[in-house]
């Protein structure tokens, strides 16, 4: 497979998916006002999108290997485009919720395919490329706010950003189809591996992959627990202004971006299993600093440390798993995303539930507790990686001292 065109498709797709995933939160106030959605219905939108993501991760992980990955990715981009365009003209919130669920299914399947393709195409530098791919997703989430603000200058209508984003997806889908057709012509007549479904139970029954799922749960809980609740915690719990609180959270996203771009460089000095523990330790330290600090610099530093710790941890753990079992890439991506999504839901819901009975400053302890879970599971995962000798990028070997 020609790597550059396929990589362009995947990176562009991940950028657009990053924009899409954060777009719901940005547009929700306008959507709710226009469609007369209550707070319960608004919350259901996020829950249904997450449920769709879990379903898509399971379906993509199990069945994606039956198809040509690039053609499937292009087809899913077209389907996502159609669903978004349909959603942008709906006038009943019930129909919007149904459409959001299916958008979650399709989008999650694309992420599973993207992870698998990059892991297969760049086996010799899998860790670095997986980090860059997830960086593109983060870059999309970062750009989404500016994207909406720019379009709102022309017309303050929540439907417009969705329509423009869907058209951008259609352009990427068209290019993906061209790349896939070219690749199919090149490989015409060559023997192909038999297509078959993958079984989740065969993968999850292996302890190393079970710990990957458990660590992914903790990762989702920490990342989005902090992302969803920190501004409220800093503003309502500690007393900072909304602008300062958002700027403090920006330290977290900045750390995430730096970590995803740079964690692969650290593999020059750390074996993978050790770097997993180092990054998980930084993440746990960050959650504790955020919870225990009550001043501007402490909270900014805590958020930065948390972002630096966990930003590259997910692509690092998933890349290591795919190095151990490359043929099971879709399932490994699927179980990671399912664990991640469940962690997001558990952390967000439990923090809100606890905050109904105690101050938010107390309920925010959910995040450090999730940090402890993440560290423990990451530590167990790192030990199993070392045992399976799957904890090094290609061409690197541990020294006797490292062992």
């Amino acid at each position: 497979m020609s790597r550059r065109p396929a990589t362009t498709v995947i990176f562009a797709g991940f950028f657009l998916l990053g924009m899409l995933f954060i777009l719901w939160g940005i547009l929700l106030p306008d959507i709710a006002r226009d469609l007369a959605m209550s707070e319960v219905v608004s919350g259901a939108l996020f829950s249904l999108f997450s449920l769709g993501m879990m379903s898509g991760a399971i379906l993509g992980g199990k069945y994606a290997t039956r198809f040509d990955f690039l053609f499937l990715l292009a087809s899913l981009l077209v389907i996502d485009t159609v669903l978004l365009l349909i959603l942008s003209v709906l006038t009943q919130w019930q129909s919007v919720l149904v459409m959001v669920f299916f958008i979650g299914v399709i989008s999650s399947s694309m992420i599973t395919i993207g992870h698998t393709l990059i892991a297969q195409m760049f086996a010799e530098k899998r860790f670095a490329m997986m980090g860059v791919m997830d960086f593109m997703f983060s870059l999309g989430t970062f750009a989404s706010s500016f994207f909406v603000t720019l379009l709102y200058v022309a017309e303050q209508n929540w439907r417009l950003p969705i329509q423009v984003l869907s058209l951008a997806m259609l352009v990427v889908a068209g290019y993906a189809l061209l790349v896939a057709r070219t690749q199919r012509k090149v490989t015409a007549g060559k023997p192909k591996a038999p297509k078959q479904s993958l079984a989740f139970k065969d993968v999850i029954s292996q302890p190393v992959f079970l710990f990957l799922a458990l660590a992914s749960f903790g990762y989702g809980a920490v990342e989005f627990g902090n992302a969803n609740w920190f501004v409220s915690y800093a503003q309502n719990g500690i007393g900072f202004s909304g602008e300062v609180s958002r700027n403090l959270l920006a330290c977290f996203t900045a750390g995430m971006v730096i970590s995803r771009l740079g964690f692969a460089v650290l593999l020059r000095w750390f074996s993978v299993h050790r770097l997993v523990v180092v990054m998980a330790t930084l993440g746990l330290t960050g959650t504790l600093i955020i919870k225990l600090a009550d001043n501007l610099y402490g909270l900014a530093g805590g958020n930065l440390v948390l972002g630096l710790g966990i930003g590259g941890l997910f692509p690092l753990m998933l890349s290591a798993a795919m190095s151990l079992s490359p043929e099971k890439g879709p399932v490994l991506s699927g179980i990671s995303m399912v664990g991640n999504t469940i962690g997001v839901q558990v952390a967000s819901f439990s923090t809100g539930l606890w905050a109904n009975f105690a101050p938010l400053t107390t309920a925010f302890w959910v995040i450090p507790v999730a940090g402890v879970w993440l560290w423990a599971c990451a530590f167990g995962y790192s030990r199993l990686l070392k045992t399976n000798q799957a904890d090094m990028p290609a061409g690197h070997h541990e020294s006797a001292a490292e062992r």
Side-chain angles (χ1 to χ4, degrees), residues 91-113:
T91 57
Q92 300 293 326
W93 62 259
Q94 294 91 339
S95 303
V96 168
L97 294 186
V98 172
M99 203 59 61
V100 162
F101 169 80
F102 286 109
I103 290 171
V105 173
I106 300 301
S107 301
S108 181
S109 299
M110 285 194 283
I111 291 176
T112 298
I113 295 168

Side-chain angles (χ1 to χ4, degrees), residues 113-403:
I113 295 168
H115 281 147
T116 305
L117 272 173
I118 289 296
Q120 290 180 353
M121 290 191 300
F122 295 96
E124 77 285 359
K125 48 181 179 180
R126 179 177 293 131
F127 294 88
M129 294 304 293
M130 290 280 277
V132 175
M133 180 176 61
D134 282 347
F135 162 76
M136 292 301 296
F137 185 91
S138 295
L139 189 61
T141 64
F142 177 74
S144 191
S145 295
F146 301 101
F147 170 70
V148 173
T149 300
L150 180 63
L151 290 178
Y152 269 21
V153 172
E155 182 183 359
Q156 193 162 345
N157 179 359
W158 65 267
R159 303 174 191 275
L160 182 60
I162 294 177
Q163 292 166 350
V164 174
L165 180 63
S166 65
L167 293 177
M169 280 190 174
L170 188 59
V171 172
V172 175
Y175 181 63
L177 283 171
L178 290 175
V179 173
R181 288 182 62 184
T182 302
Q183 180 61 29
R184 179 168 289 183
K185 290 178 181 178
V186 171
T187 58
K190 296 181 180 179
K192 297 180 181 180
K195 303 293 185 181
Q196 59 182 0
S197 302
L198 299 177
F200 274 77
K201 64 179 181 180
D202 295 338
V203 175
I204 205 69
S205 63
Q206 300 180 51
V208 64
F209 298 141
L210 175 60
F211 269 87
L212 171 66
L214 295 173
S216 296
F217 170 88
Y219 181 90
V222 171
E223 179 185 5
F224 284 94
N226 189 66
N228 291 342
W229 282 104
F230 176 78
V231 172
S232 297
Y233 170 74
Q235 188 172 351
N236 302 330
I238 301 180
F240 287 104
S241 68
E243 181 181 358
V244 170
S245 299
R246 289 189 292 271
N247 290 338
L248 288 171
L249 183 62
C251 295
F252 169 65
T253 56
M256 291 276 293
V257 169
I258 294 170
S259 182
R260 286 184 167 174
L261 274 179
F263 80 90
V265 176
L266 298 177
L267 292 173
R268 298 177 182 178
W269 302 284
F270 294 94
S271 59
V272 175
H273 75 270
R274 287 192 173 178
L275 187 56
V276 166
V277 176
V278 169
M279 298 188 79
T281 302
L282 278 176
L284 174 58
T285 302
T287 64
L288 292 173
I289 293 174
I290 291 171
K291 184 64 196 72
L292 298 175
D294 59 0
N295 60 79
L296 183 69
Y297 296 108
L299 290 170
N303 270 290
L304 181 62
V305 170
L306 176 58
L308 290 172
I310 70 170
L313 185 58
F314 182 77
L316 176 66
M317 293 192 300
L318 182 56
S319 299
M322 289 185 173
S323 295
L324 178 60
S325 188
E327 73 282 0
K328 293 181 175 134
V331 171
L332 294 172
S333 176
I335 63 174
S336 298
M337 289 187 60
V338 169
N340 191 303
T341 305
I342 296 174
V344 172
Q345 293 298 308
V346 169
S348 298
F349 177 77
S350 59
T351 303
L353 181 64
W354 195 354
N356 283 329
F357 303 98
L360 182 55
T361 50
T362 301
F364 199 76
W365 274 108
V366 167
I367 314 304
V369 169
V372 173
W373 173 283
L374 173 59
W375 185 91
C377 293
F379 181 82
Y381 180 61
S382 74
R383 296 301 90 192
L384 291 167
L385 279 178
K386 185 177 182 181
T387 300
N388 285 277
Q389 297 181 341
D391 58 343
M392 293 181 295
H396 287 252
H397 300 277
E398 287 182 300
S399 66
E402 283 181 317
R403 298 190 191 96

